[in-house]
Amino acid sequence: MQRYPGAQPPRSRKYLVRDRIFGIGDDYWIEDEHGQHAFLVDGKALRLRETFELKDPERRVLITIRKKMLALRDTMTIERDDAALATIRRKRLSLLRNHYRVELVDGTELDVSGKIMDREFAIEYDGELLAEISRRWLTVRDTYAVNVVRDDADPALLIAIAVCVIRLAERERGED
């Protein structure tokens, strides 16, 4: 799993995301563990479907997150440079409600499992941990951390996956 082209090495591997901030029209900075602006979340207003953009500190769009409108199961898509990058949905034959599959366009599959609503879950590739999402490291209320474990992993993509999985779990529970 590679970083996006031309990316500078991140200053941090842990990012702090405020909970319940992803509403249409909402803008919010995701900070690194040192309090520096790392990514800007831009909730696009006046769109027919739920859309968010994840931007770098210079406000260049890195990732676009969309709720897929016509799908049998709740699905979200992640795009980069106006091209599909990943599709996220709850795993079909899972006994666990909190198990999601991320299908990248290159055929790679990532697994997301854990206590999604508690913000305690992991993103894995072929059994190897890519990122941990947790509140346990923080004292700030309504905030969770995305701790990127692998050096070659794409922080923007992993943050986008975490956001999508949380949104899908909230929809499933009727907390929209």
Side-chain angles (χ1 to χ4, degrees):
M1 197 164 146
Q2 298 298 315
R3 277 193 210 121
Y4 47 93
Q8 298 298 315
R11 295 177 297 234
S12 173
R13 302 303 290 171
K14 189 181 289 184
Y15 302 90
L16 306 180
V17 183
R18 281 206 192 131
D19 225 346
R20 301 241 181 241
I21 52 106
F22 294 98
I24 300 301
D26 288 349
D27 292 349
Y28 174 75
W29 283 103
I30 294 174
E31 298 176 345
D32 67 16
E33 62 190 315
H34 307 292
Q36 301 295 312
H37 289 173
F39 300 101
L40 176 66
V41 176
D42 184 355
K44 294 301 189 184
L46 303 174
R47 296 280 173 102
L48 202 52
R49 60 183 177 172
E50 191 172 353
T51 303
F52 307 102
E53 291 178 340
L54 193 60
K55 299 178 177 182
D56 67 13
E58 289 76 36
R59 299 180 186 260
R60 292 180 298 239
V61 176
L62 301 173
I63 299 254
T64 302
I65 302 168
R66 298 182 200 277
K67 181 184 182 311
K68 203 167 186 177
M69 292 300 283
L70 301 172
L72 293 176
R73 292 181 290 156
D74 257 353
T75 302
M76 295 192 85
T77 60
I78 298 173
E79 301 171 2
R80 177 171 285 141
D81 300 325
D82 296 320
L85 181 62
T87 302
I88 302 168
R89 61 180 61 97
R90 191 166 63 85
K91 206 164 187 180
R92 198 178 272 178
L93 299 174
S94 175
L95 297 175
L96 303 172
R97 263 186 83 149
N98 293 313
H99 198 153
Y100 291 79
R101 173 178 287 139
V102 179
E103 297 174 28
L104 301 177
V105 291
D106 69 1
T108 303
E109 289 188 1
L110 306 180
D111 284 315
V112 181
S113 61
K115 296 178 181 178
I116 308 296
M117 298 306 291
D118 292 337
R119 309 311 188 251
E120 298 291 336
F121 59 96
I123 302 171
E124 297 180 337
Y125 167 66
D126 202 22
E128 185 179 344
L129 183 65
L130 297 177
E132 294 176 282
I133 291 72
S134 181
R135 285 187 170 149
R136 72 178 171 265
W137 304 303
L138 306 172
T139 57
V140 180
R141 189 175 175 192
D142 296 331
T143 301
Y144 60 91
V146 176
N147 184 29
V148 179
V149 176
R150 277 188 45 168
D151 288 337
D152 64 342
D154 179 349
L157 176 59
L158 294 172
I159 290 168
I161 290 169
V163 168
C164 288
V165 167
I166 290 168
R167 291 295 291 160
L168 288 170
E170 287 173 344
R171 283 183 177 288
E172 194 174 302
R173 287 186 59 177
E175 295 182 18
D176 201 19

